[in-house]
């Protein structure tokens, strides 16, 4: 593997179609497509300032690196990335990628990030300003994600999340096969129109969660006082610890809680309208 160390590259495509290359303390300065169409690349302690540095790249490892705001849309149409101990200040990262592993990474401006990606693993990641993160992603495994941004995980499939704090309204809309374990879900209108969503040991915060859901399961979850008007038109099997402020017109299933403030079943309920709602004895 060729080593390039302590160099600065700028302009248009300075390392275009490189392969078997290790970069140490290299700066990819203002310009475009610094490492486009590359193979088998390692970057350690590098700084990326120009646009689109890693497009159409296959097999690359990024460690201890910084992507400045100028390095927007840095990683698109690429395969098999391992990124660790790095900071990303730029938006619109990670699009149309297959094989993506992030460990101890800070995404400080994560708007429109991780779109149409598959086979993703995240561990110890912080994502701020993360509106519309994870749009249309598949096969996602997450452990210890702190997420601040709305409209997350829309249209995702096959997702498992553990030990995370998600501050995000309109999360998990139109998702399929999502499981969230030991996490806090803080945001209104949680998981509307989801299919096969399972929540285990989770705290649910803010209004009108889990409506229009199909095959929804909750196990040992808690609901904050503002998580009212829950489960409207949902097919739900919920075992809730503690108090539920209000439940409104669940379509079918079974809801059990330690106490329920208000069970609203009115003329607008949808068939089969046979959900059993009970207080645990």
């Amino acid at each position: 593997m060729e080593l390039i160390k302590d160099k600065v590259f700028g302009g248009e495509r300075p390392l275009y179609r490189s392969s078997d290359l290790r970069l140490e303390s290299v700066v990819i300065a203002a310009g475009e497509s610094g490492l486009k169409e590359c193979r088998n690349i390692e970057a350690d302690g590098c700084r990326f300032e120009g646009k689109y540095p890693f497009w159409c790249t296959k097999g690359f490892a990024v460690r201890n690196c910084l992507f400045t705001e100028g390095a927007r849309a840095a990683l698109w149409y690429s395969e098999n990335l391992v990124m660790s101990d790095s900071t990303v200040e730029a938006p619109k990262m990670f699009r149309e990628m297959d094989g993506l592993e992030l460990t101890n990474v800070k995404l400080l401006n994560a708007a429109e990030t991780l779109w149409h990606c598959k086979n993703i693993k995240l561990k110890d990641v912080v994502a701020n300003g993360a509106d519309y993160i994870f749009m249309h992603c598949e096969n996602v495994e997450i452990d210890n994600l702190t997420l601040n941004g709305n409209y997350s995980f829309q249209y995702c499939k096959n997702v498992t999340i553990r030990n995370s704090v998600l501050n995000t309204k309109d999360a998990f809309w139109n998702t399929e096969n999502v499981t969230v374990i030991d996490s806090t879900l803080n945001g209104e209108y949680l998981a509307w129109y989801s299919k096969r969503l399972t929540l285990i040991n989770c705290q649910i915060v803010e209004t009108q969660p889990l409506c229009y859901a199909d095959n929804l399961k909750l196990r040992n979850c808690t609901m904050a006082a503002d998580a009212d008007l829950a489960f409207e038109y949902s097919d739900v099997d919920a075992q809730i610890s503690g108090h539920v402020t209000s439940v409104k017109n669940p379509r079918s299933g079974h809801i059990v809680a330690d106490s329920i403030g208000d069970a609203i079943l009115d003329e607008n309920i949808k068939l089969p309208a046979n959900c059993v709602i009970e207080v645990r004895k």
Side-chain angles (χ1 to χ4, degrees):
M1 180 171 278
E2 180 185 356
L3 173 64
I4 298 177
K5 188 173 183 179
D6 300 322
K7 300 289 186 181
V8 178
F9 296 92
E12 183 81 11
R13 299 187 177 188
L15 295 170
Y16 184 71
R17 298 199 68 184
S18 296
S19 61
D20 302 313
L21 192 64
R22 178 172 173 81
L23 308 177
E24 295 182 4
S25 302
V26 166
V27 176
I28 303 297
E32 294 187 7
S33 305
L35 289 149
K36 189 175 182 179
E37 294 282 359
C38 290
R39 303 291 183 273
N40 192 24
I41 303 296
E42 295 182 3
D44 195 339
C46 297
R47 180 182 176 92
F48 297 92
E49 301 174 353
K51 293 184 289 187
Y52 327 136
F54 286 105
W55 275 43
C56 307
T57 296
K58 294 185 178 181
F60 56 122
V62 176
R63 304 181 187 92
N64 303 308
C65 290
L66 172 65
F67 291 80
T68 70
E69 188 173 359
R72 60 193 300 113
L75 301 104
W76 287 28
Y77 306 106
S78 295
E79 299 177 9
N80 300 325
L81 164 67
V82 177
M83 179 185 286
S84 61
D85 304 311
S86 295
T87 299
V88 179
E89 298 175 347
K92 300 186 178 181
M93 303 288 283
F94 314 116
R95 300 277 189 95
E96 303 281 356
M97 294 185 64
D98 185 357
L100 172 62
E101 185 173 336
L102 305 183
T103 303
N104 192 28
V105 172
K106 295 180 180 178
L107 307 171
L108 301 184
N109 184 12
E112 301 179 32
T113 286
L114 283 158
W115 282 15
H116 297 278
C117 294
K118 59 185 178 180
N119 302 318
I120 301 164
K121 293 184 178 180
L122 271 65
K123 183 175 176 59
D124 303 331
V125 171
V126 175
N128 292 332
D131 286 359
Y132 295 103
I133 195 171
F134 289 105
M135 182 80 76
H136 288 285
C137 286
E138 297 185 19
N139 307 332
V140 183
E141 295 182 13
I142 294 173
D143 187 3
N144 191 27
L145 168 65
T146 300
L147 169 61
N148 298 295
N150 298 319
Y151 325 114
S152 61
F153 295 98
Q154 293 192 356
Y155 301 98
C156 283
K157 296 180 180 179
N158 307 326
V159 178
T160 301
I161 301 172
R162 293 179 170 85
N163 307 312
S164 296
V165 177
L166 309 181
N167 300 310
T168 170
K169 75 173 183 178
D170 292 354
F172 300 111
W173 278 51
N174 300 99
T175 54
E176 296 184 26
N177 300 328
V178 173
T179 300
V180 187
I181 305 167
D182 297 326
S183 297
T184 298
L185 307 176
N186 184 4
E188 56 197 6
Y189 317 128
L190 173 68
W192 287 31
Y193 303 102
S194 60
K195 295 180 180 180
R196 296 181 296 280
L197 171 67
T198 299
L199 306 180
I200 302 171
N201 300 331
C202 290
Q203 182 185 32
I204 299 161
V205 184
E206 293 202 28
T207 190
Q208 298 180 59
L210 305 167
C211 300
Y212 294 90
D214 183 21
N215 199 358
L216 170 67
K217 295 181 181 180
L218 280 72
R219 294 292 181 267
N220 195 35
C221 292
T222 60
M223 303 185 74
D226 59 358
D228 59 343
L229 304 175
F231 308 122
E232 186 173 23
Y233 301 146
S234 288
D235 167 27
V236 54
D237 177 6
Q239 298 176 14
I240 301 167
S241 297
H243 182 70
V244 178
T245 298
S246 59
V247 171
K248 183 176 182 180
N249 286 340
R251 188 177 69 249
S252 62
H254 188 192
I255 299 169
V256 181
D258 292 330
S259 59
I260 297 174
D262 195 7
I264 303 166
L265 303 173
D266 62 24
E267 69 279 6
N268 296 310
I269 195 169
K270 293 184 178 181
L271 295 175
N274 61 358
C275 185
V276 176
I277 303 171
E278 63 177 313
V279 172
R280 189 176 289 111
K281 296 180 180 179

